[in-house]
Amino acid sequence: MEILVTSVSPNQLMAGKIMGNLSVGLTQLVIWIIFTLIAINILPKFIPMGEPPQIPASYILLLVVTFLPAFVMICALMAAVGATVTEASEGQQVMGIFTLPLYLPYMLIGVLMENPNSPLAVGLSLFPLTAPMTISIRAGFAVVPAWQLVLSVGILVASAAGALWFAGRAFRLGMLRYGQRLRWKEVFSQGRGG
């Protein structure tokens, strides 16, 4: 462990950890997609279901473009939480701050389906933690204006980059304070760091 910590920068170490987490998540996603495609092709032979749903390629591209930076952002925030706490139970408590907004579009799905271009829907589309689910719901029921898609993806990419920076900074400061809890305020207030 000492060789690893002294051989790479904290940002590189956290980026590697996040890439590993991202790889595991994407592997799960690919497996789910493969089994879904198999089920869509095999089930109609045994159960009459009619025509399988047609999903446009543009919708799948939209999902990839919004979910990938959001997943990187969430992985980085989880890594930052792990670097700032000393006990696993503390990390689980803090994770609620990030996971609750992820489910907010599900809780508001009726409102989003009924009025997909409302100010609430637009606001949720621009907030990084709710954007991927909100955009996917909205795109299923209405045409989302291009400027909102571009702005949402831009905010997601910037948030992912910021979360990566924050995770690296939290890890670097956390290494210096081994065994002591690192407060988020300290991560931001310790001067500028790369």
Side-chain angles (χ1 to χ4, degrees):
M1 185 67 178
E2 290 175 11
I3 293 171
L4 179 66
V5 171
T6 58
S7 302
V8 297
S9 73
N11 287 346
Q12 290 172 331
L13 185 62
M14 289 307 278
K17 183 176 181 168
I18 292 163
M19 290 302 294
N21 202 357
L22 182 63
S23 298
V24 169
L26 291 178
T27 301
Q28 275 184 312
L29 183 63
V30 167
I31 290 170
W32 290 345
I33 290 171
I34 289 170
F35 279 107
T36 301
L37 291 174
I38 291 170
I40 287 173
N41 288 320
I42 291 177
L43 279 180
K45 294 177 183 176
F46 300 104
I47 303 170
M49 299 173 59
E51 280 293 312
Q54 299 297 320
I55 302 172
S58 60
Y59 186 75
I60 293 172
L61 178 65
L62 175 66
L63 292 179
V64 169
V65 168
T66 55
F67 276 92
L68 195 58
F71 195 70
V72 170
M73 177 186 64
I74 295 298
C75 289
L77 290 174
M78 287 183 176
V81 167
T84 59
V85 298
T86 58
E87 302 277 330
S89 60
E90 284 181 88
Q92 291 170 348
Q93 291 171 356
V94 175
M95 285 315 301
I97 296 170
F98 303 120
T99 55
L100 186 61
L102 295 173
Y103 293 106
L104 189 59
Y106 287 123
M107 292 184 257
L108 298 172
I109 195 164
V111 175
L112 294 174
M113 287 171 32
E114 186 177 309
N115 203 350
N117 287 320
S118 68
L120 174 66
V122 173
L124 290 174
S125 297
L126 300 178
F127 182 63
L129 293 174
T130 58
M133 288 310 307
T134 306
I135 289 284
S136 62
I137 292 169
R138 288 180 65 201
F141 294 97
V143 175
V144 180
W147 71 268
Q148 290 177 16
L149 294 175
V150 170
L151 185 59
S152 180
V153 170
I155 290 171
L156 279 169
V157 169
S159 298
L164 286 169
W165 170 85
F166 183 76
R169 182 143 172 81
F171 182 70
R172 181 179 23 241
L173 292 173
M175 283 188 336
L176 298 173
R177 300 183 54 181
Y178 182 76
Q180 298 176 1
R181 186 169 192 264
L182 180 65
R183 305 229 182 267
W184 289 55
K185 181 181 174 184
E186 294 173 290
V187 177
F188 288 112
S189 67
Q190 291 292 322
R192 300 178 99 177

